[in-house]
Amino acid sequence: MAHTPVNHPARPIYRAIGGLVGLYLVVFGVIGFLTSTGEPFFSQGDTQALGQGTNLGFSLFNIVVGAIVLAGTAIGRNLDVLINQWSAYLIMVVSLAGLAFIRTEANIFNLSVATVIVQMVLSLVLLMAGMYGKVGSDDEHEAWQKARLVL
């Protein structure tokens, strides 16, 4: 993709931001797991972690996605770009589905409006980190510069 920046000057910052999002997901998941332990997996009670609605299932979802993002950040080699982008899409789909079913029995992750807002912001930040963190050769960077100047 010629329109995706290659060797962006701020790519280390974007990579760190992606890692911080993964760390937040893991921390939120662990706090939510500890808070909702002993309840059913997809309970729809008033369990909250960091001011956001959660349950055991959503906490485990956040732990897994956050751990995958952290692993991608640690590995690098453009694997973090791929993981950040697809994780962002996954989080967006889950949060939008949660928003659609927020006041119904289908709200299996016990999401609240605050949870949806935070998850959407995190997914957009993760998507941004994925789009600007790509590393490539000098030829790829030059091709991106030429394509950028044409647009």
Side-chain angles (χ1 to χ4, degrees):
M1 288 194 282
H3 59 276
T4 304
V6 179
N7 297 338
H8 192 277
R11 72 181 180 273
I13 295 170
Y14 288 115
R15 187 172 175 190
I17 289 171
L20 287 174
V21 170
L23 183 64
Y24 177 84
L25 290 172
V26 170
V27 168
F28 171 73
V30 168
I31 292 172
F33 182 82
L34 295 174
T35 304
S36 61
T37 301
E39 295 180 12
F41 197 72
F42 293 120
S43 70
Q44 294 183 356
D46 58 351
T47 306
Q48 288 192 345
L50 301 178
Q52 303 166 47
T54 188
N55 61 15
L56 197 57
F58 190 60
S59 296
L60 290 177
F61 170 78
N62 278 297
I63 290 171
V64 169
V65 172
I68 291 171
V69 169
L70 284 174
T73 302
I75 293 170
R77 293 189 226 133
N78 287 336
L79 183 63
D80 58 337
V81 170
L82 186 67
I83 288 173
N84 287 348
Q85 288 177 351
W86 284 103
S87 298
Y89 297 142
L90 177 66
I91 294 169
M92 279 184 202
V93 167
V94 168
S95 62
L96 285 174
L99 183 62
F101 301 119
I102 206 161
R103 293 187 186 259
T104 66
E105 293 294 320
N107 186 7
I108 60 170
F109 284 146
N110 194 31
L111 300 181
S112 64
V113 175
T115 310
V116 171
I117 291 170
V118 170
Q119 292 291 317
M120 287 300 289
V121 169
L122 289 174
S123 66
L124 289 172
V125 170
L126 198 57
L127 185 60
M128 178 193 62
M131 297 242 177
Y132 286 95
K134 188 173 182 182
V135 178
S137 66
D138 290 335
D139 293 335
E140 290 173 324
H141 179 69
E142 185 178 327
W144 169 69
Q145 287 287 358
K146 286 180 182 178
R148 188 177 128 232
L149 294 174
V150 170
L151 297 177

